Amino acid sequence: MIDGLPASRTVGHGYTYAYLDEQTKRMIRRAVLKAVAVPGYQVPFASREMPMPYGWGTGGIQLTASLIGPSDVLKVIDQGADDTTNAVSIRQFFARTAHVQTTTRTAESTLIQTRHRIPEQPLRAGQIIVYQVPIPEPLRWLEPRETESRRLHALQDYGGMYVKLYEDIARYGRIATAYDYPVLVNGRYLMSPSPIPKFDNPKLDRMPALQLFGAGREKRIYAVPPHTRVESLAFDDHPFQVQKWDQTCVLCGAGDSYLDEVITDDAGGRWFVCSDTDHCTRRRDGGADGGDRRP
Amino acid sequence: MYVAVKGGERAIGNAHRLYAEARRGDPAVPELTLEQIGQQLSHAVDRVMTEGGLYDPFLAALAIKQARGDLVEAIFLLRAYRTTLPRFGAARPLETDAMAVSRRISATFKDLPGGQMLGPTADYSHRLLDFALAETGLPPEPVPPVAGVSESSCPRVTGLLAATGLVEAPPPDSDEADTTDLTRTPLALPAGRALRLQALARGDEGFLLALGYSTQRGFGTTHPFAAEIRMGSVEIELEAEELGFPVVIGEIAVTECQMINQFQGTADQPPQFTSGYGLAFGEAERKAMAMALVDRALRWRELSGGDDARTPAAPAEDEEFVLAHADAVEASGFVQHLKLPHYVDFQAELELLRRLRADAGAVGCADGRAAGAEAPESVP
């Protein structure tokens, strides 16, 4: 049935700056403005098909693409690290399409795209951090229907979430949510902070930098403007707690950073290292030593 | 080893080279041409165009070649290209009545105006491997011209029945201005039928096939008849603003399916047949039929008087469930994102699990001695 295939056609034409066409960027910026105006509210946006798969950061990439400019310095992290494969891929994408300077140094960056972590080094005013979000709806596990959860948000009916947390305490004696821990933004909207460990939740609160969240597949953008109150849900008699390790980083000796566990042999041996590679590198550059016992 | 997670940049580059090498295969074997894919793997091309939402056999063939025959990946490639294309207008609704049909069958009437035409189908072939095809050889025998094939237009079965009131009248042509483009507007629920059909047209064939099948097996209350399936080429008309009249800008091949179902009627409406609609690019009968079944199943609320309080009785009737999960590109991406590192979340879960196990007094297990388990109860 196929006839008249053209003998050749140019498909390698040049793309717009930062890949997205200008109309799309404008559409995304409008969604961002609305999101900033209503902190924590999920703004639907006409998410585009990106040249990376859904679920691999397409929401964050669209936000970054619509915000980035030639004077920006971009940092991309995944699991806190600049050198994980998907972070490398996204950084290369913007280096290629936006000709932008990239960095691994948190302090030097103007725009940070992240998956699953907030850098250990506090962000400052003027910086923007873009989170990649798989499931933007914090109520999804209680109510899978969007039609229903949007109504719950409208009515600020978050009782179900408190019941869930209470049931955890009744069953386990503690709240059994370790990451993507729900937060209340500006005293109004319940929000998923994306799957960051709850260790990072306190950093969300009153952060001087602008925090933007992009969910490409689910077609939602939301935001926490600078200095906005972000509370992790808790009870008076069960206050919010973060993870803590008995160990320190074997590379830099940090005892206050989020640690990744590395299995070193088949006899139960394991080390702990900073998940934030920039934090770890800076400490080691400053002479810190974790007593590296690696063979 | 910790070093194993480093060096991502070089690893990615090498992975791309390995993939390209695997795509090419043995260099002694001639490379596939896009013409070969377009001509000889036309069902694959049609599926990629349909779910890719872009009628371009050349690019679809390229995507199939690039994806090494992985059709979902090819659909993704085509979509990612499509999304960068400018929209310069909306075509007028296709006049499939005026289709130059290459195949047209009805399962509801033995004969009908325009006639039944089997066309190019494998339906009545015996599914025996044809070993002759293993050898490249002579072209197939030409089909002798058939006398009596009407060149005149071929009215649709549902149109013939609608005149009697036995089948619901087709909805009026919608104004192009009020047709939302699913790829330019986020889907809001409940979606209208036009929007649902857009989503179904791009929807994964396998998913729709299973859902359509489920309605036939009893998960849903539809009892369908294939009123008509037609295949052929139709003209695309565009009304250019300054012209004031439509001009033909090209022809595309499509498969259209109309299923009709018994309908008991409501207090306001006497019983009649209602229809489900399916349309796909090229020759894609399975997709068009499955789509028509699911379209009809999703109309249950509208046909039962629009009662919002009732809940869907079957998966195929659940608009949010069907529309949220029908897209193969979304599904494939999200399922496969599980390949990305999740060290941080996993560490958070490990830490939690160790605490819970310590609380529960789990002893004697390897993890009982592991780091974190002895963490003090008082955490800041």
Side-chain angles (χ1 to χ4, degrees):
Chain A
M1 56 132 304
I2 310 265
D3 38 48
L5 279 178
S8 69
R9 190 187 320 183
T10 314
V11 290
H13 71 267
Y15 289 98
T16 328
Y17 179 79
Y19 183 76
L20 290 177
D21 60 279
E22 295 305 319
Q23 288 303 330
T24 298
K25 286 182 196 162
R26 253 174 236 140
M27 175 272 293
I28 292 171
R29 288 180 201 133
R30 280 196 293 270
V32 167
L33 289 175
K34 182 168 180 180
V36 168
V38 192
Y41 171 74
Q42 299 166 51
V43 181
F45 81 111
S47 176
R48 300 292 191 250
E49 268 118 352
M50 297 302 286
M52 290 84 150
Y54 283 121
W56 296 53
T58 55
I61 293 166
Q62 288 179 79
L63 278 172
T64 299
S66 64
L67 297 168
I68 205 163
S71 60
D72 273 310
V73 180
L74 178 70
K75 173 181 166 76
V76 183
I77 49 174
D78 185 346
Q79 314 294 303
D82 298 272
D83 53 6
T84 35
T85 43
N86 205 42
V88 169
S89 164
I90 293 169
R91 188 164 56 244
Q92 283 178 343
F93 177 71
F94 284 111
R96 196 162 79 192
T97 60
H99 321 293
V100 77
Q101 193 193 331
T102 62
T103 184
T104 59
R105 310 298 297 260
T106 302
E108 286 172 11
S109 62
T110 58
L111 192 56
I112 301 172
Q113 179 165 332
T114 180
R115 176 169 172 264
H116 294 192
R117 278 308 312 275
I118 300 175
E120 305 292 1
Q121 184 174 5
L123 302 185
R124 57 167 200 276
Q127 285 179 310
I128 299 178
I129 180 166
V130 170
Y131 298 79
Q132 300 172 196
V133 182
I135 304 279
E137 180 49 71
L139 300 168
R140 181 67 55 85
W141 313 120
L142 305 175
E143 171 51 67
R145 284 173 199 282
E146 181 80 22
T147 37
E148 184 61 20
S149 54
R150 286 183 80 81
R151 198 180 61 84
L152 294 174
H153 280 294
L155 300 173
Q156 208 177 345
D157 182 354
Y158 299 139
M161 184 58 91
Y162 283 100
V163 170
K164 190 240 169 226
L165 298 180
Y166 171 74
E167 284 176 345
D168 275 2
I169 292 169
R171 182 175 301 165
Y172 305 115
R174 61 175 77 238
I175 292 170
T177 299
Y179 61 93
D180 207 348
Y181 190 102
V183 294
L184 195 67
V185 179
N186 202 29
R188 174 59 181 87
Y189 280 101
L190 189 69
M191 185 187 94
S192 156
S194 86
I196 57 172
K198 64 178 179 177
F199 179 90
D200 284 339
N201 272 27
K203 299 172 187 165
L204 296 159
D205 185 34
R206 297 176 173 85
M207 184 192 282
L210 171 62
Q211 305 180 71
L212 299 175
F213 299 78
R217 190 180 40 79
E218 300 275 339
K219 302 171 180 62
R220 296 289 184 273
I221 285 171
Y222 52 99
V224 175
H227 307 292
T228 303
R229 191 157 47 96
V230 179
E231 303 155 82
S232 302
L233 298 194
F235 299 101
D236 289 346
D237 52 346
H238 280 271
F240 176 73
Q241 298 176 332
V242 299
Q243 290 98 342
K244 197 183 167 187
W245 288 260
D246 293 340
Q247 296 79 6
T248 55
C249 172
V250 295
L251 299 177
C252 76
D256 57 352
S257 72
Y258 192 86
L259 298 178
D260 278 342
E261 183 170 336
V262 183
I263 296 178
T264 54
D265 55 35
D266 56 3
R270 59 198 73 198
W271 285 324
F272 288 80
V273 291
C274 287
S275 125
D276 184 336
T277 47
D278 174 55
H279 180 70
C280 198
T281 307
R282 270 191 306 116
R283 285 177 49 83
R284 276 180 288 153
D285 289 349
D289 182 9
D292 188 350
R293 303 173 307 250
R294 287 183 298 171
Chain B
M1 284 289 110
Y2 183 55
V3 288
V5 301
K6 300 280 183 184
E9 212 146 327
R10 211 179 58 214
I12 289 175
N14 288 339
H16 293 168
R17 279 188 283 277
L18 283 172
Y19 190 82
E21 215 174 87
R23 173 193 298 124
R24 179 59 185 89
D26 183 353
V29 176
E31 188 171 345
L32 263 180
T33 67
L34 299 192
E35 285 73 14
Q36 286 170 340
I37 296 171
Q39 295 289 323
Q40 296 169 38
L41 297 178
S42 60
H43 280 307
V45 169
D46 291 344
R47 178 168 176 198
V48 170
M49 292 197 302
T50 299
E51 293 177 37
L54 182 67
Y55 194 93
D56 193 322
F58 176 85
L59 292 182
L62 175 60
I64 291 166
K65 178 177 179 178
Q66 189 176 331
R68 295 163 63 189
D70 177 342
L71 297 190
V72 173
E73 179 71 12
I75 290 161
F76 176 26
L77 287 167
L78 200 62
R79 288 262 194 98
Y81 177 77
R82 176 197 198 271
T83 198
T84 65
L85 300 175
R87 271 63 169 160
F88 58 83
R92 292 184 50 74
L94 293 183
E95 294 293 348
T96 49
D97 278 340
M99 176 188 288
V101 293
S102 57
R103 168 168 166 81
R104 190 268 190 129
I105 55 168
S106 168
T108 51
F109 295 100
K110 190 170 182 178
D111 200 6
L112 64 165
Q116 306 252 21
M117 179 163 38
L118 225 38
T121 179
D123 279 354
Y124 302 100
S125 67
H126 299 141
R127 268 53 166 213
L128 304 170
L129 279 175
D130 180 358
F131 293 103
L133 281 177
E135 306 293 328
T136 51
L138 299 170
E141 245 178 81
V143 182
V146 182
V149 172
S150 105
E151 284 292 313
S152 62
S153 80
C154 194
R156 288 192 292 189
V157 173
T158 49
L160 298 171
L161 283 173
T164 65
L166 288 172
V167 171
E168 60 176 342
D173 283 352
S174 67
D175 189 2
E176 67 183 50
D178 64 18
T179 306
T180 309
D181 180 350
L182 184 67
T183 67
R184 285 293 183 267
T185 314
L187 178 68
L189 297 171
R193 190 176 176 202
L195 211 52
R196 282 204 305 257
L197 286 169
Q198 280 183 49
L200 296 180
R202 291 157 60 88
D204 181 61
E205 179 174 318
F207 181 72
L208 297 184
L209 181 67
L211 281 175
Y213 176 48
S214 73
T215 67
Q216 288 179 280
R217 283 195 67 259
F219 286 79
T221 51
T222 59
H223 304 279
F225 297 95
E228 182 168 351
I229 296 163
R230 57 170 66 196
M231 224 179 243
S233 58
V234 288
E235 293 179 334
I236 303 279
E237 291 185 327
L238 184 80
E239 210 164 307
E241 271 175 33
E242 57 274 26
L243 276 183
F245 57 88
V247 290
V248 174
I249 57 167
E251 253 181 34
I252 62 171
V254 296
T255 302
E256 182 187 55
C257 172
Q258 284 186 292
M259 292 281 182
I260 55 174
N261 297 61
Q262 295 163 20
F263 169 56
Q264 294 167 345
T266 61
D268 315 319
Q269 242 181 324
Q272 63 175 176
F273 284 109
T274 54
S275 66
Y277 187 79
L279 188 80
F281 288 149
E283 296 180 14
E285 223 161 65
R286 193 191 301 119
K287 167 69 189 270
M289 293 178 76
M291 176 176 166
L293 289 174
V294 177
D295 172 46
R296 173 56 185 78
L298 288 172
R299 295 182 64 202
W300 72 276
R301 194 186 295 278
E302 159 206 346
L303 293 172
S304 62
D307 182 359
D308 286 339
R310 288 179 53 195
T311 52
E317 295 181 345
D318 188 330
E319 181 182 78
E320 180 158 2
F321 178 78
V322 173
L323 298 191
H325 303 118
D327 194 283
V329 177
E330 290 176 3
S332 162
F334 199 50
V335 166
Q336 296 200 66
H337 107 284
L338 294 172
K339 291 184 282 194
L340 289 176
H342 285 76
Y343 326 131
V344 165
D345 300 356
F346 187 69
Q347 181 59 215
E349 291 279 83
L350 266 184
E351 196 264 359
L352 175 69
L353 205 56
R354 282 177 181 142
R355 280 179 195 277
L356 295 179
R357 289 173 64 82
D359 290 351
V363 285
C365 64
D367 263 10
R369 294 190 306 272
E374 305 87 2
E377 188 62 31
S378 58
V379 182

mmCIF file of all heavy atoms in Angstrom, chain B residues 22-46:
data_model
loop_
_atom_site.group_PDB
_atom_site.id
_atom_site.type_symbol
_atom_site.label_atom_id
_atom_site.label_comp_id
_atom_site.label_asym_id
_atom_site.label_seq_id
_atom_site.Cartn_x
_atom_site.Cartn_y
_atom_site.Cartn_z
ATOM 1 N N ALA B 22 24.898 -3.855 16.501
ATOM 2 C CA ALA B 22 23.893 -4.917 16.547
ATOM 3 C C ALA B 22 22.796 -4.653 15.521
ATOM 4 O O ALA B 22 22.245 -5.579 14.924
ATOM 5 C CB ALA B 22 23.293 -5.007 17.943
ATOM 6 N N ARG B 23 22.487 -3.391 15.300
ATOM 7 C CA ARG B 23 21.456 -3.044 14.321
ATOM 8 C C ARG B 23 21.879 -3.480 12.925
ATOM 9 O O ARG B 23 21.105 -4.045 12.174
ATOM 10 C CB ARG B 23 21.206 -1.539 14.331
ATOM 11 C CG ARG B 23 20.256 -1.097 13.213
ATOM 12 C CD ARG B 23 20.249 0.398 13.030
ATOM 13 N NE ARG B 23 19.792 1.067 14.227
ATOM 14 C CZ ARG B 23 20.460 1.992 14.875
ATOM 15 N NH1 ARG B 23 21.661 2.366 14.425
ATOM 16 N NH2 ARG B 23 19.987 2.549 15.952
ATOM 17 N N ARG B 24 23.127 -3.249 12.610
ATOM 18 C CA ARG B 24 23.592 -3.553 11.263
ATOM 19 C C ARG B 24 23.736 -5.062 11.056
ATOM 20 O O ARG B 24 23.507 -5.573 9.971
ATOM 21 C CB ARG B 24 24.933 -2.839 11.016
ATOM 22 C CG ARG B 24 25.552 -3.084 9.652
ATOM 23 C CD ARG B 24 24.609 -2.643 8.537
ATOM 24 N NE ARG B 24 25.161 -2.994 7.222
ATOM 25 C CZ ARG B 24 24.943 -4.145 6.613
ATOM 26 N NH1 ARG B 24 24.195 -5.065 7.193
ATOM 27 N NH2 ARG B 24 25.465 -4.383 5.428
ATOM 28 N N GLY B 25 24.071 -5.777 12.132
ATOM 29 C CA GLY B 25 24.265 -7.223 11.987
ATOM 30 C C GLY B 25 25.494 -7.533 11.157
ATOM 31 O O GLY B 25 26.414 -6.713 11.055
ATOM 32 N N ASP B 26 25.487 -8.692 10.546
ATOM 33 C CA ASP B 26 26.617 -9.147 9.740
ATOM 34 C C ASP B 26 26.764 -8.253 8.504
ATOM 35 O O ASP B 26 25.859 -8.198 7.671
ATOM 36 C CB ASP B 26 26.360 -10.605 9.331
ATOM 37 C CG ASP B 26 27.538 -11.188 8.536
ATOM 38 O OD1 ASP B 26 28.466 -10.419 8.198
ATOM 39 O OD2 ASP B 26 27.502 -12.400 8.257
ATOM 40 N N PRO B 27 27.881 -7.552 8.369
ATOM 41 C CA PRO B 27 28.046 -6.648 7.223
ATOM 42 C C PRO B 27 28.042 -7.381 5.881
ATOM 43 O O PRO B 27 27.852 -6.747 4.831
ATOM 44 C CB PRO B 27 29.409 -5.990 7.460
ATOM 45 C CG PRO B 27 29.824 -6.378 8.829
ATOM 46 C CD PRO B 27 29.045 -7.557 9.256
ATOM 47 N N ALA B 28 28.206 -8.703 5.919
ATOM 48 C CA ALA B 28 28.168 -9.473 4.676
ATOM 49 C C ALA B 28 26.746 -9.575 4.135
ATOM 50 O O ALA B 28 26.536 -9.871 2.954
ATOM 51 C CB ALA B 28 28.747 -10.869 4.908
ATOM 52 N N VAL B 29 25.764 -9.363 5.010
ATOM 53 C CA VAL B 29 24.362 -9.410 4.582
ATOM 54 C C VAL B 29 23.967 -8.005 4.129
ATOM 55 O O VAL B 29 24.256 -7.038 4.827
ATOM 56 C CB VAL B 29 23.457 -9.871 5.753
ATOM 57 C CG1 VAL B 29 21.997 -9.834 5.360
ATOM 58 C CG2 VAL B 29 23.859 -11.255 6.213
ATOM 59 N N PRO B 30 23.320 -7.882 2.961
ATOM 60 C CA PRO B 30 22.961 -6.545 2.470
ATOM 61 C C PRO B 30 22.113 -5.774 3.478
ATOM 62 O O PRO B 30 21.279 -6.365 4.170
ATOM 63 C CB PRO B 30 22.161 -6.825 1.195
ATOM 64 C CG PRO B 30 22.500 -8.212 0.810
ATOM 65 C CD PRO B 30 22.904 -8.944 2.042
ATOM 66 N N GLU B 31 22.344 -4.471 3.542
ATOM 67 C CA GLU B 31 21.596 -3.632 4.481
ATOM 68 C C GLU B 31 20.165 -3.432 3.990
ATOM 69 O O GLU B 31 19.915 -3.311 2.793
ATOM 70 C CB GLU B 31 22.310 -2.285 4.587
ATOM 71 C CG GLU B 31 21.739 -1.410 5.674
ATOM 72 C CD GLU B 31 22.594 -0.161 5.905
ATOM 73 O OE1 GLU B 31 23.741 -0.127 5.426
ATOM 74 O OE2 GLU B 31 22.094 0.757 6.569
ATOM 75 N N LEU B 32 19.215 -3.395 4.950
ATOM 76 C CA LEU B 32 17.809 -3.138 4.617
ATOM 77 C C LEU B 32 17.664 -1.735 4.050
ATOM 78 O O LEU B 32 18.263 -0.794 4.562
ATOM 79 C CB LEU B 32 16.971 -3.186 5.894
ATOM 80 C CG LEU B 32 16.235 -4.445 6.287
ATOM 81 C CD1 LEU B 32 15.499 -4.177 7.595
ATOM 82 C CD2 LEU B 32 15.257 -4.874 5.225
ATOM 83 N N THR B 33 16.863 -1.598 3.036
ATOM 84 C CA THR B 33 16.564 -0.252 2.557
ATOM 85 C C THR B 33 15.188 0.163 3.074
ATOM 86 O O THR B 33 14.340 -0.678 3.386
ATOM 87 C CB THR B 33 16.539 -0.186 1.024
ATOM 88 O OG1 THR B 33 15.420 -0.957 0.567
ATOM 89 C CG2 THR B 33 17.812 -0.740 0.420
ATOM 90 N N LEU B 34 14.970 1.452 3.153
ATOM 91 C CA LEU B 34 13.669 1.944 3.611
ATOM 92 C C LEU B 34 12.575 1.548 2.627
ATOM 93 O O LEU B 34 11.429 1.308 3.020
ATOM 94 C CB LEU B 34 13.710 3.462 3.785
ATOM 95 C CG LEU B 34 14.710 3.983 4.807
ATOM 96 C CD1 LEU B 34 14.445 5.456 5.084
ATOM 97 C CD2 LEU B 34 14.658 3.186 6.094
ATOM 98 N N GLU B 35 12.934 1.479 1.346
ATOM 99 C CA GLU B 35 11.949 1.054 0.351
ATOM 100 C C GLU B 35 11.506 -0.381 0.642
ATOM 101 O O GLU B 35 10.324 -0.710 0.546
ATOM 102 C CB GLU B 35 12.535 1.149 -1.061
ATOM 103 C CG GLU B 35 12.648 2.566 -1.606
ATOM 104 C CD GLU B 35 13.753 3.386 -0.964
ATOM 105 O OE1 GLU B 35 14.633 2.803 -0.275
ATOM 106 O OE2 GLU B 35 13.742 4.619 -1.121
ATOM 107 N N GLN B 36 12.455 -1.235 1.000
ATOM 108 C CA GLN B 36 12.096 -2.620 1.318
ATOM 109 C C GLN B 36 11.162 -2.673 2.523
ATOM 110 O O GLN B 36 10.165 -3.395 2.528
ATOM 111 C CB GLN B 36 13.356 -3.448 1.609
ATOM 112 C CG GLN B 36 14.153 -3.767 0.359
ATOM 113 C CD GLN B 36 15.509 -4.372 0.698
ATOM 114 O OE1 GLN B 36 16.012 -4.239 1.810
ATOM 115 N NE2 GLN B 36 16.101 -5.043 -0.276
ATOM 116 N N ILE B 37 11.496 -1.905 3.563
ATOM 117 C CA ILE B 37 10.644 -1.902 4.759
ATOM 118 C C ILE B 37 9.260 -1.369 4.392
ATOM 119 O O ILE B 37 8.235 -1.961 4.731
ATOM 120 C CB ILE B 37 11.282 -1.039 5.871
ATOM 121 C CG1 ILE B 37 12.598 -1.655 6.324
ATOM 122 C CG2 ILE B 37 10.319 -0.897 7.049
ATOM 123 C CD1 ILE B 37 13.412 -0.771 7.251
ATOM 124 N N GLY B 38 9.229 -0.271 3.660
ATOM 125 C CA GLY B 38 7.960 0.349 3.286
ATOM 126 C C GLY B 38 7.096 -0.571 2.439
ATOM 127 O O GLY B 38 5.887 -0.645 2.613
ATOM 128 N N GLN B 39 7.729 -1.274 1.516
ATOM 129 C CA GLN B 39 6.969 -2.126 0.606
ATOM 130 C C GLN B 39 6.634 -3.482 1.223
ATOM 131 O O GLN B 39 5.542 -3.995 1.027
ATOM 132 C CB GLN B 39 7.785 -2.366 -0.675
ATOM 133 C CG GLN B 39 8.029 -1.129 -1.509
ATOM 134 C CD GLN B 39 6.764 -0.655 -2.190
ATOM 135 O OE1 GLN B 39 5.944 -1.465 -2.616
ATOM 136 N NE2 GLN B 39 6.582 0.641 -2.274
ATOM 137 N N GLN B 40 7.580 -4.060 1.949
ATOM 138 C CA GLN B 40 7.431 -5.459 2.330
ATOM 139 C C GLN B 40 7.092 -5.670 3.800
ATOM 140 O O GLN B 40 6.738 -6.776 4.206
ATOM 141 C CB GLN B 40 8.708 -6.227 1.955
ATOM 142 C CG GLN B 40 8.927 -6.228 0.437
ATOM 143 C CD GLN B 40 10.294 -6.749 0.050
ATOM 144 O OE1 GLN B 40 10.802 -7.686 0.651
ATOM 145 N NE2 GLN B 40 10.906 -6.137 -0.954
ATOM 146 N N LEU B 41 7.217 -4.644 4.600
ATOM 147 C CA LEU B 41 6.789 -4.735 6.003
ATOM 148 C C LEU B 41 5.731 -3.663 6.244
ATOM 149 O O LEU B 41 5.770 -2.912 7.209
ATOM 150 C CB LEU B 41 7.981 -4.536 6.945
ATOM 151 C CG LEU B 41 9.100 -5.579 6.862
ATOM 152 C CD1 LEU B 41 10.230 -5.214 7.826
ATOM 153 C CD2 LEU B 41 8.586 -6.974 7.195
ATOM 154 N N SER B 42 4.756 -3.608 5.325
ATOM 155 C CA SER B 42 3.837 -2.471 5.340
ATOM 156 C C SER B 42 2.918 -2.460 6.565
ATOM 157 O O SER B 42 2.518 -1.397 7.025
ATOM 158 C CB SER B 42 3.025 -2.429 4.054
ATOM 159 O OG SER B 42 2.273 -3.612 3.924
ATOM 160 N N HIS B 43 2.603 -3.645 7.113
ATOM 161 C CA HIS B 43 1.779 -3.622 8.331
ATOM 162 C C HIS B 43 2.528 -2.960 9.481
ATOM 163 O O HIS B 43 1.940 -2.238 10.291
ATOM 164 C CB HIS B 43 1.369 -5.041 8.739
ATOM 165 C CG HIS B 43 0.203 -5.569 7.938
ATOM 166 N ND1 HIS B 43 -0.977 -4.880 7.810
ATOM 167 C CD2 HIS B 43 0.049 -6.711 7.229
ATOM 168 C CE1 HIS B 43 -1.817 -5.578 7.051
ATOM 169 N NE2 HIS B 43 -1.213 -6.694 6.675
ATOM 170 N N ALA B 44 3.825 -3.236 9.543
ATOM 171 C CA ALA B 44 4.637 -2.603 10.592
ATOM 172 C C ALA B 44 4.644 -1.088 10.395
ATOM 173 O O ALA B 44 4.476 -0.322 11.347
ATOM 174 C CB ALA B 44 6.054 -3.165 10.566
ATOM 175 N N VAL B 45 4.826 -0.673 9.152
ATOM 176 C CA VAL B 45 4.838 0.765 8.847
ATOM 177 C C VAL B 45 3.496 1.397 9.219
ATOM 178 O O VAL B 45 3.446 2.468 9.830
ATOM 179 C CB VAL B 45 5.162 0.981 7.350
ATOM 180 C CG1 VAL B 45 4.909 2.427 6.946
ATOM 181 C CG2 VAL B 45 6.602 0.586 7.064
ATOM 182 N N ASP B 46 2.404 0.697 8.882
ATOM 183 C CA ASP B 46 1.075 1.238 9.183
ATOM 184 C C ASP B 46 0.860 1.397 10.686
ATOM 185 O O ASP B 46 0.304 2.381 11.157
ATOM 186 C CB ASP B 46 -0.018 0.324 8.606
ATOM 187 C CG ASP B 46 -0.035 0.363 7.084
ATOM 188 O OD1 ASP B 46 0.569 1.300 6.517
ATOM 189 O OD2 ASP B 46 -0.627 -0.534 6.474
#
